[in-house]
Amino acid sequence: MTISSYTERPGSRTEEADGLSVPWSRPSPKRKGVSARMISAVTILVVLAAWALSARLQLVSPVFLPSPVAVWNKFIVVIRDGFVDATLLQHVVASLGRVFAALVAAILVGVPVGLAIGISTVGRGIFDPLLEFLRPIPPLAYLPLVIIWFGIGEPSKILVIAIAMLAPVALSTASGVRGVSQERVNAARSLGATKRQVVRHVILPSALPSILTGLRIALGAGWSTLVAAELVAATRGLGFMIQSAAQFLVTDVVIMGILVIAAIAFVLEFTIRRIERALVPWAGRE
């Protein structure tokens, strides 16, 4: 079969053929499937419907499981009138301030520690066992010790959240540093770059995707620690609001606070993903 015989076949337009398909074969139709977002939306709707039906049939007492409408109405009331001497916005601002202050502290400590673990054998020997010791400890275990050392003020709450965030940031940074291509490091050194320039212009940009992934994990750990941190002598905050509502069996406020925390965590996760796409467009394109 000659080359010209291929061109005589019907439907052998070059724009329809790729490098692997037979030239005269029909292009395979695109598969139309159900998207993951649609499945997620249906799942949420099913859970809400089951919740509403359970409340409608009173399978569980409203004291323990109020209806979605009751939770929404309480959400409006807390926004307008507040709960335990503060509006919902004031509780959210107080919690966000603690979480972001802890995140800054975790970045300032965790990124240099992660760089030391990834670059230096001495740094790995010093910090790696400390992080492995600290990482599995639940926040409620070291909360009493932090209170004894630093009191019941704002620094102790931020410190408890920062400790929970430290290990994800440091370990993700160390993982990113270890994954840096040795050829890039050698190329920079052969061009005369100093050790500091190699760290700044080669290692840090290459490890940035892992660092941002660590920040996402750290934010999740921080939000999960928030309620424990606000147990101690807090007067505002979402965790304080939930704990106060639980003491008086105001279940609709408890559920509303949990949903608000979940919504804020979702927004932060979405924002960090957008920042990751903007700052490190080369991520995953080695």
Side-chain angles (χ1 to χ4, degrees):
M1 184 179 292
T2 62
I3 296 176
S4 59
S5 63
Y6 283 96
T7 59
E8 294 170 359
R9 301 277 182 175
S12 60
R13 290 178 296 178
T14 55
E15 63 270 16
E16 294 181 355
D18 55 31
L20 297 177
S21 62
V22 179
W24 60 83
S25 63
R26 293 180 178 178
S28 58
K30 294 182 179 179
R31 295 182 178 178
K32 294 181 178 179
V34 181
S35 66
R37 291 183 179 178
M38 186 178 295
I39 295 175
S40 301
V42 171
T43 302
I44 293 173
L45 290 176
V46 169
V47 172
L48 287 176
W51 179 13
L53 183 63
S54 174
R56 179 77 175 177
L57 298 178
Q58 294 188 350
L59 299 178
V60 183
S61 171
V63 176
F64 300 105
L65 185 64
S67 66
V69 176
V71 174
W72 173 256
N73 292 334
K74 183 61 71 174
F75 175 71
I76 300 298
V77 170
V78 175
I79 287 179
R80 186 185 59 217
D81 302 330
F83 185 76
V84 284
D85 299 330
T87 62
L88 181 62
L89 180 60
Q90 291 171 330
H91 287 302
V92 169
V93 170
S95 294
L96 282 176
R98 291 175 184 129
V99 169
F100 279 107
L103 181 64
V104 171
I107 292 173
L108 292 178
V109 177
V111 172
V113 168
L115 286 173
I117 293 174
I119 294 174
S120 169
T121 305
V122 176
R124 185 164 59 251
I126 294 173
F127 296 114
D128 211 16
L130 296 177
L131 285 176
E132 292 300 328
F133 171 78
L134 193 63
R135 185 171 59 86
I137 300 177
L140 285 175
Y142 53 77
L143 179 61
L145 187 61
V146 172
I147 293 172
I148 292 172
W149 285 353
F150 298 96
I152 59 174
E154 204 66 25
S156 61
K157 300 177 181 59
I158 296 173
L159 182 60
V160 169
I161 303 173
I163 292 174
M165 289 180 165
L166 180 61
V169 175
L171 293 178
S172 298
T173 305
S175 176
V177 172
R178 289 171 184 163
V180 175
S181 171
Q182 192 61 36
E183 286 78 10
R184 291 182 185 176
V185 176
N186 293 335
R189 287 176 177 170
S190 66
L191 292 174
T194 62
K195 192 171 183 178
R196 180 174 297 180
Q197 289 173 330
V198 170
V199 171
R200 180 180 177 185
H201 297 290
V202 179
I203 293 178
L204 269 179
S206 299
L208 194 54
S210 295
I211 295 174
L212 291 175
T213 302
L215 294 186
R216 286 166 45 200
I217 299 172
L219 272 176
W223 278 107
S224 62
T225 313
L226 179 70
V227 177
E230 292 181 345
L231 280 174
V232 183
T235 55
R236 284 182 182 177
L238 291 172
F240 166 73
M241 183 185 74
I242 291 174
Q243 290 298 325
S244 301
Q247 291 176 358
F248 299 101
L249 285 180
V250 189
T251 315
D252 44 6
V253 173
V254 174
I255 296 176
M256 184 267 292
I258 293 172
L259 294 178
V260 169
I261 289 177
I264 294 174
F266 178 80
V267 171
L268 292 177
E269 170 79 14
F270 180 79
T271 305
I272 291 184
R273 284 180 183 272
R274 291 293 181 182
I275 293 174
E276 187 175 358
R277 288 182 186 177
L279 289 182
V280 286
W282 61 87
R285 299 177 183 176
E286 294 292 338

